[in-house]
Amino acid sequence: MDRFIPKSKSKLLYQSHTQSNYNDLMYHINEEKVLNFGNGKQQQNFPTSFLDQLHNQYKMPSQQIVRQISAIPEKILDAPEIADDFYLNILEWGNNNVLSVGLQNKVYLWNASNQHIQQLLQATSNVTSVHWINDHILGVGFDDASIKIVDVCSQQTITQLYYHNERVSTMSSSFELLSSSGRDNVIFNHDLREKNNNVVGVFQKHTQEVCGLKWNSSGSTLSSGANDNQLLLWDRRQMSLRVSCEGHCAAVKAMAWCPWLENILVSGGGSNDKNIKFWNADTGTCFKSIETGSQVCALQFLPRYRELISSHGFSKFQISIWNADLIQQAKLIQELQAHKSRVLHLGISPDQSMLCSAAGDETLIFWRLGTEQNNYNKQEMCSSKNLFLR
């Protein structure tokens, strides 16, 4: 099949591309094993007014969505030699319905709309993080401390960043701002509208490798987690530390901002912690903590169903689904188990119908998150109802 080649190279980072360009771009490559289908602690007393606010102002619609979550994987893809490294972030499912995966020194894109696979790039250094900046721009961090900003439609590198001294383990973006960090413990904030000298702020407080970064939806606050057990919140306007969330006793990689409550942050601790903690980001106070029994590797909210999804390490290597409609009363709904190693990464499709999990067992497993039993958002779901069929 002919490859889509744009008429001219993209010169502007935020130039838009159509979805049809993506469908033309993603073509199948003949590498037999790469991404091929396989066989199938104490809770604190929080002010009553705050809990009342959560309970009364953010309820689900009266017409609930009835669904069933299958414990049987929908699809399994091989991911040979995927790094079994807790601190890396090498999988992300973009709003363009394209899954990006870093395998050793290569980045692959898997288009969920047509199931086509593309090798985007091959580098001289191993990939340590991937992040969708927008629908056609991908940030790739490397073991040699560099970052490439790549236009996936033209397959051209727009710019390269060389500010870090060690591997780049994590990235997060908000509008034109890209934040990056890793083993050098420093968070650099890059204004991507500038090609040269684009660092507009530097955050230095962590003392060990930073493995988690996440901007909230408004772009006002950046959360950072590291191997020093710290969870920190940074203010964008002041470009400074705003609050430290204290309570974890192991590395903090997993974190997610609640989509329907902007001031709520959820984080997960490593193997010596095993807790999922819920924070009021305005004050840095933990109002709920759940002991999960295993290392917390990743967290993702599922806003359509008001749920939280977590993935875990030894000993069950499970994926847990939590009801978070009343977030202060979050409770376990179901566990999914199919991986044979710690589940390091999670990605959710844009329509929230599918979940992808990646583990050190060299597999990507796709789970169907449920089928609707009513007409709620039916039009939105129709475009992807045939995903992952053989």
Side-chain angles (χ1 to χ4, degrees):
M1 182 180 295
D2 291 338
R3 181 175 56 179
F4 170 77
I5 303 176
K7 294 181 179 180
S8 61
K9 296 181 181 178
S10 173
K11 295 182 180 180
L12 296 176
L13 185 58
Y14 292 94
Q15 177 180 344
S16 64
H17 292 262
T18 64
Q19 182 63 41
S20 61
N21 287 354
Y22 269 105
N23 294 337
D24 292 337
L25 172 66
M26 304 305 171
Y27 63 97
H28 189 69
I29 60 173
N30 295 319
E31 291 198 24
E32 293 183 357
K33 283 211 67 181
V34 178
L35 299 182
N36 286 333
F37 288 116
N39 300 321
K41 289 209 180 136
Q42 184 177 4
Q43 181 173 325
Q44 302 186 17
N45 294 323
F46 213 74
T48 302
S49 59
F50 179 76
L51 295 181
D52 288 344
Q53 176 190 9
L54 297 184
H55 180 77
N56 296 323
Q57 296 185 16
Y58 300 95
K59 295 181 179 180
M60 283 286 281
S62 58
Q63 184 182 18
Q64 295 289 326
I65 300 171
V66 180
R67 66 198 183 94
Q68 294 180 345
I69 306 172
S70 174
I72 301 173
E74 184 90 357
K75 285 292 180 183
I76 300 177
L77 303 180
D78 293 326
E81 299 184 324
I82 190 170
D84 187 10
D85 191 327
F86 174 80
Y87 301 99
L88 305 187
N89 293 270
I90 52 176
L91 179 145
E92 189 166 291
W93 202 328
N95 290 329
N96 51 15
N97 209 19
V98 178
L99 186 74
S100 60
V101 184
L103 297 179
Q104 296 296 302
N105 64 335
K106 300 175 183 178
V107 173
Y108 291 92
L109 303 180
W110 186 73
N111 189 330
S113 299
N114 56 28
Q115 303 188 42
H116 285 176
I117 300 167
Q118 176 201 10
Q119 180 181 313
L120 177 65
L121 61 83
Q122 181 173 353
T124 57
S125 183
N126 284 346
V127 176
T128 50
S129 55
V130 294
H131 172 63
W132 287 105
I133 296 169
N134 61 31
D135 283 355
H136 67 103
I137 303 296
L138 185 71
V140 184
F142 293 94
D143 192 58
D144 66 0
S146 68
I147 299 172
K148 283 187 178 182
I149 309 299
V150 183
D151 185 323
V152 300
C153 289
S154 64
Q155 297 181 271
Q156 298 295 314
T157 298
I158 299 173
T159 188
Q160 289 186 261
L161 307 175
Y162 298 97
Y163 294 99
H164 290 284
N165 296 319
E166 298 281 353
R167 70 180 186 181
V168 182
S169 308
T170 180
M171 292 180 285
S172 181
S173 60
S174 174
F175 305 101
E176 76 284 352
L177 195 67
L178 173 68
S179 300
S180 62
S181 193
R183 192 175 276 173
D184 62 6
N185 319 331
V186 181
I187 302 170
F188 287 99
N189 299 289
H190 314 266
D191 186 338
L192 294 178
R193 295 170 298 184
E194 303 293 333
K195 285 191 174 182
N196 301 311
N197 301 318
N198 65 6
V199 174
V200 294
V202 179
F203 299 154
Q204 298 187 72
K205 180 66 174 179
H206 289 290
T207 59
Q208 295 188 41
E209 181 168 13
V210 178
C211 48
L213 291 175
K214 191 75 67 176
W215 281 101
N216 67 352
S217 60
S218 68
S220 63
T221 305
L222 174 70
S223 60
S224 64
N227 196 38
D228 58 10
N229 309 346
Q230 292 191 87
L231 175 63
L232 305 178
L233 304 183
W234 306 88
D235 183 83
R236 178 172 183 163
R237 179 176 297 179
Q238 301 297 326
M239 278 292 168
S240 63
L241 179 65
R242 185 167 61 78
V243 67
S244 176
C245 302
E246 300 179 357
H248 281 295
C249 56
V252 184
K253 173 194 175 187
M255 59 186 67
W257 290 92
C258 180
W260 59 92
L261 291 168
E262 184 175 310
N263 63 333
I264 301 300
L265 174 68
V266 182
S267 62
S271 56
N272 291 329
D273 186 301
K274 304 180 178 66
N275 278 265
I276 296 175
K277 293 184 179 294
F278 297 74
W279 307 88
N280 178 351
D282 294 335
T283 63
T285 306
C286 176
F287 64 89
K288 184 177 182 62
S289 186
I290 301 173
E291 164 64 54
T292 69
S294 57
Q295 178 187 51
V296 184
C297 301
L299 290 166
Q300 290 268 3
F301 272 102
L302 193 64
R304 168 168 293 180
Y305 305 111
R306 294 289 177 90
E307 292 171 354
L308 175 70
I309 302 178
S310 60
S311 68
H312 300 269
F314 182 83
S315 62
K316 293 195 294 183
F317 312 126
Q318 80 274 25
I319 297 167
S320 299
I321 302 176
W322 309 83
N323 184 324
D325 184 16
L326 298 178
I327 201 161
Q328 76 275 18
Q329 300 175 13
K331 59 184 179 180
L332 184 65
I333 300 174
Q334 186 174 349
E335 288 186 345
L336 306 174
Q337 293 178 268
H339 285 290
K340 299 177 181 179
S341 180
R342 54 186 179 176
V343 187
L344 297 170
H345 312 286
L346 293 176
I348 296 177
S349 63
D351 63 16
Q352 302 175 46
S353 67
M354 300 296 296
L355 172 71
C356 176
S357 57
D361 58 9
E362 301 188 342
T363 60
L364 306 183
I365 296 183
F366 293 85
W367 310 84
R368 184 163 291 282
L369 293 174
T371 56
E372 294 180 282
Q373 302 299 318
N374 56 31
N375 292 324
Y376 179 80
N377 260 353
K378 183 175 180 180
Q379 183 175 2
E380 177 186 345
M381 298 289 290
C382 289
S383 63
S384 59
K385 72 176 186 177
N386 292 321
L387 289 182
F388 310 116
L389 296 181
R390 288 186 184 272

